[in-house]
Amino acid sequence: QLFVRKFGTNNLPDCSNMCHESSGRALTDAIGVGKGTVSLEDLENAGVIFIFGQNPGSNHPRMLATLQRAKRNGARIISVNPLNETGLRRFKNPQEVGGWVGRGTSLADLHLPVRINGDVALVKGLIKATLALERAQPGKVFDKAFLAEYTQGIEPVLEDADRTSWQTIEQLAGVERALLERAAKWAAEAEGVIACWAMGLTQHVNAVANIQTIVNFLLLGGNLGKPGAGVCPVRGHSNVQGDRTMGIWERPNIELLRAIKEEFGFRSPQHAGVDTVDCVRAMRRGTIEVFFAMGGNFVAATPDDDYVAGAVANCRLTVQVSTKLNRSHVYVGREALILPALGRTDSDTQKGVAQIVTVENSMGVVQTSKGTLPPPSAQCRSEVWIVAQLARAVLGHEDDIPWQSMADDYALIRDRISRVIPGFDSFNERLRQQDEFVLPNAVRDHRVFNTDTKKANFFVHPTAAMTAPEGQFVMMSIRSHDQFNTTVYSNDDRYRGIRGSRRVVLINRKDMKAHRLKSGAMVKVSSHYDGQARSVDGFQLVSYKIPRGCVAMYYPECNPLIPIEYAAEQSNTPAYKSVIVSLTIAE
């Protein structure tokens, strides 16, 4: 960040643009904090935990042990997902004696099989049911003291709940009223309610609406800023949360830029840079000529493969700092470099001294990370060293920032961070005392809501869900058990019983019958957006328990179906989960 802003740009597209940007935008406006408000202790002591659009078994396996402890402490767990994922039905903890045998721990008490893109309607059903409970027992369900002191805008939300019929909710959400009323009753009876979510909510066109409607529901019971309650957007990668905490954002706030100026003596650019989607467009137009990637698998991770590949090829120079080779390395600009870097598990020694770095998890805990493995090559350099040498070469040796000293001793970087980033006071000293510490959180710690109104804000969003035209389907992307982001370790998906191939389309058995399709048939899948058609061939139909009118495909195999311009409102995150497709039997 320091180099990029000193160089003179705010072009800092990052991984958050692709996954949890919607969480940050929604939560910042609603509660004044763009990240989660719960700790692991809160999760373990919650009364009810909603798991929205997330498959912990495949995507966040460490979370399963926490959910297991919560369950054993008496929590009720409610899964909200088009697929009834195996990992939430039952969990065997391999770290426990006997964890490999027996039936394991049954996790989800209730599964709500929401239609793809039906989340707003579903949560409005929870709100409507909660409102009915409050009217039946005035003052027993709503936390009226909390609502009066800490929130604003509740009346339009209640009016919207009254206007929205159960028929509309059931039709758009795809979930029966009785199930929603049961879930709402459990939440009303609980001392604390937590809502967890991941990309099943954040990668829809109405992703911000999804999240703010969930916040509406939590606010009714005062489920923010108290033990065992709150919001929990689950980030799978430490850099998704940590880089944003450090200020890595194409729209930096004025307080950050002021702090950088006070510490380093230069004025950063004040105008916004580009996010990931706009970066691709700018490369395609030729207005961005150099693409420099720190880690990641950019071409495989982004949608609209051909468009992105063409954008990369249009660059004068592409540089990728990488720990492993990946697919993106074969898509290059007119000149291309790969700079081999140390991974976090590799020993990082500078000037004969072992260095440590830090990461931040989804709970706002900053932890040390120190590699112990021998580097794969003496030519592998640390990312810190690479950036420092690049800054020296580009900015010139007369630049007054001590790049080389910071590359030699990462503690000097942490000293600077402690004076620029809130919450990192005495950074090095705290790490010396213990290997981790918890960042302050205004909502969790003090029930302070740093919004424009200085209160938690209710928002009313349209109930309408995406529905496919006759003969078409709403498609969402998913990941398999043996996969981490774009890295696929096996063609088998053990949790879903799929073996030998990832080029599959999960489809409801009744939909196959209605469209005269057969399980195992090979199809061409075509997406439809703004008069454009994109197609992929050679996909096999798999009968699966998924709501009618919906299909699921693996990511990144489905990426060519998603146009680069098709993104979430406000957050500009690619809408991988809201895609209209049609299926054609292969010739």
Side-chain angles (χ1 to χ4, degrees):
Q1 170 180 217
L2 186 62
F3 164 53
V4 169
R5 301 205 197 281
K6 184 72 183 287
F7 179 64
T9 180
N10 287 323
N11 288 344
L12 281 166
D14 73 330
C15 49
S16 294
N17 297 149
M18 303 294 288
C19 53
H20 272 288
E21 191 72 56
S22 302
S23 298
R25 296 299 291 273
L27 293 176
T28 298
D29 289 345
I31 64 173
V33 172
K35 60 174 75 174
T37 67
V38 302
S39 64
L40 285 176
E41 184 179 5
D42 287 324
L43 278 166
E44 292 172 9
N45 292 286
V48 168
I49 302 173
F50 285 86
I51 308 291
F52 287 92
Q54 178 195 354
N55 179 14
S58 293
N59 306 135
H60 310 99
R62 292 182 181 178
M63 187 177 176
L64 284 175
T66 300
L67 294 177
Q68 183 188 50
R69 288 191 290 273
K71 183 69 176 173
R72 290 174 177 175
N73 289 338
R76 283 170 162 161
I77 296 176
I78 300 171
S79 166
V80 184
N81 199 312
L83 306 178
N84 191 2
E85 301 287 16
T86 303
L88 275 172
R89 293 201 300 270
R90 192 167 297 279
F91 173 53
K92 295 181 180 181
N93 191 339
Q95 297 184 353
E96 292 184 339
V97 175
W100 290 96
V101 298
R103 293 180 56 80
T105 301
S106 179
L107 292 182
D109 298 272
L110 182 64
H111 175 62
L112 305 180
V114 63
R115 292 185 70 256
I116 296 174
N117 197 253
D119 301 282
V120 169
L122 183 143
V123 181
K124 285 192 178 184
L126 296 176
I127 293 171
K128 189 177 184 72
T130 304
L131 177 58
L133 291 171
E134 168 64 20
R135 286 171 173 165
Q137 295 182 293
K140 302 292 186 181
V141 177
F142 285 6
D143 187 337
K144 292 196 172 182
F146 171 84
L147 291 169
E149 183 175 357
Y150 295 107
T151 74
Q152 74 88 34
I154 186 175
E155 288 305 323
V157 170
L158 301 184
E159 292 167 4
D160 178 67
D162 282 330
R163 284 195 307 269
T164 308
S165 70
W166 276 112
Q167 181 182 3
T168 297
I169 289 169
E170 288 184 308
Q171 178 183 354
L172 296 180
V175 178
E176 297 174 2
R177 172 180 177 176
L179 292 179
L180 297 176
E181 289 178 329
R182 186 192 308 176
K185 184 174 184 296
W186 287 357
E189 294 169 347
E191 288 295 321
V193 178
I194 291 175
C196 304
W197 66 82
M199 286 176 281
L201 287 189
T202 66
Q203 292 180 333
H204 285 286
V205 287
N206 56 344
V208 170
N210 287 338
I211 295 159
Q212 290 182 341
T213 308
I214 287 173
V215 172
N216 290 347
F217 173 60
L218 292 175
L219 290 176
L220 296 179
N223 286 299
L224 281 165
K226 71 178 184 180
V231 293
C232 182
V234 181
R235 273 93 163 172
H237 237 311
S238 57
N239 56 347
V240 175
Q241 182 145 316
D243 70 345
R244 197 52 61 85
T245 295
M246 286 294 111
I248 302 295
W249 196 30
E250 74 279 358
R251 298 183 192 90
N253 63 57
I254 194 66
E255 290 81 8
L256 171 69
L257 299 186
R258 185 182 298 119
I260 290 175
K261 182 179 180 181
E262 289 177 358
E263 178 64 23
F264 295 99
F266 71 91
R267 186 175 187 269
S268 302
Q270 304 295 296
H271 58 276
V274 294
D275 61 16
T276 300
V277 168
D278 288 337
C279 167
V280 172
R281 291 171 173 160
M283 290 192 296
R284 186 80 178 211
R285 291 193 304 267
T287 54
I288 286 180
E289 299 179 286
V290 176
F291 175 69
F292 187 93
M294 298 288 291
N297 187 358
F298 188 79
V299 174
T302 46
D304 213 338
D305 289 23
D306 290 343
Y307 186 96
V308 175
V312 171
N314 204 35
C315 292
R316 286 197 300 116
L317 173 66
T318 55
V319 183
Q320 303 199 49
V321 180
S322 304
T323 61
K324 300 287 189 298
L325 292 174
N326 63 54
R327 177 182 163 195
S328 293
H329 294 137
V330 302
Y331 296 94
V332 298
R334 293 192 287 279
E335 292 188 77
L337 297 172
I338 299 173
L339 304 182
L342 297 173
R344 267 178 42 202
T345 56
D346 298 326
S347 174
D348 182 359
T349 301
Q350 304 294 336
K351 296 292 185 180
V353 178
Q355 304 294 319
I356 62 169
V357 296
T358 54
V359 297
E360 180 189 350
N361 68 18
S362 295
M363 310 302 165
V365 179
V366 176
Q367 300 167 312
T368 59
S369 178
K370 182 178 180 180
T372 58
L373 299 178
S377 167
Q379 294 182 340
C380 289
R381 303 290 189 176
S382 78
E383 291 175 315
V384 174
W385 187 93
I386 290 170
V387 172
Q389 303 312 316
L390 181 62
R392 294 180 67 203
V394 171
L395 301 176
H397 293 283
E398 299 302 317
D399 185 69
D400 56 0
I401 294 177
W403 301 105
Q404 187 61 59
S405 297
M406 292 191 291
D408 293 340
D409 183 0
Y410 300 174
L412 297 180
I413 303 173
R414 287 187 286 273
D415 282 338
R416 299 292 189 129
I417 289 173
S418 70
R419 296 192 288 270
V420 173
I421 306 297
F424 286 83
D425 312 78
S426 304
F427 196 175
N428 281 307
E429 290 77 3
R430 293 159 82 182
L431 292 181
R432 279 193 285 268
Q433 294 170 7
Q434 54 187 359
D435 288 336
E436 66 178 39
F437 61 88
V438 181
L439 290 174
N441 186 297
V443 173
R444 182 195 64 217
D445 301 338
H446 307 293
R447 275 191 166 174
V448 170
F449 299 94
N450 291 315
T451 64
D452 291 342
T453 63
K454 301 304 179 184
K455 292 179 180 286
N457 297 313
F458 284 89
F459 288 90
V460 178
H461 292 282
T463 310
M466 176 172 288
T467 55
E470 183 67 28
Q472 298 179 357
F473 302 87
V474 182
M475 186 272 287
M476 68 175 183
S477 66
I478 58 175
R479 286 183 283 184
S480 69
H481 176 68
D482 294 311
Q483 179 176 359
F484 184 73
N485 290 344
T486 58
T487 302
V488 177
Y489 298 101
S490 168
N491 282 331
D492 296 339
D493 190 345
R494 289 176 281 164
Y495 278 10
R496 299 191 183 104
I498 298 170
R499 299 189 178 278
S501 176
R502 293 173 51 83
R503 298 182 69 83
V504 297
V505 180
L506 308 188
I507 182 172
N508 187 288
R509 176 177 55 83
K510 292 182 179 179
D511 278 336
M512 280 198 294
K513 183 177 180 181
H515 291 82
R516 298 181 180 179
L517 301 169
K518 292 183 179 180
S519 185
M522 302 302 295
V523 296
K524 177 174 75 173
V525 186
S526 302
S527 66
H528 306 276
Y529 173 76
D530 195 27
Q532 307 170 37
R534 289 169 170 77
S535 299
V536 291
D537 293 305
F539 281 73
Q540 188 175 30
L541 295 179
V542 174
S543 176
Y544 207 82
K545 194 170 184 180
I546 185 172
R548 294 202 63 181
C550 303
V551 296
M553 299 173 67
Y554 288 121
Y555 159 98
E557 285 81 359
C558 67
N559 284 5
L561 297 172
I562 303 157
I564 192 67
E565 63 268 28
Y566 187 46
E569 299 160 358
Q570 298 185 52
S571 68
N572 211 29
T573 295
Y576 295 96
K577 305 291 193 291
S578 297
V579 186
I580 301 296
V581 300
S582 58
L583 308 175
T584 307
I585 295 294
E587 296 293 335

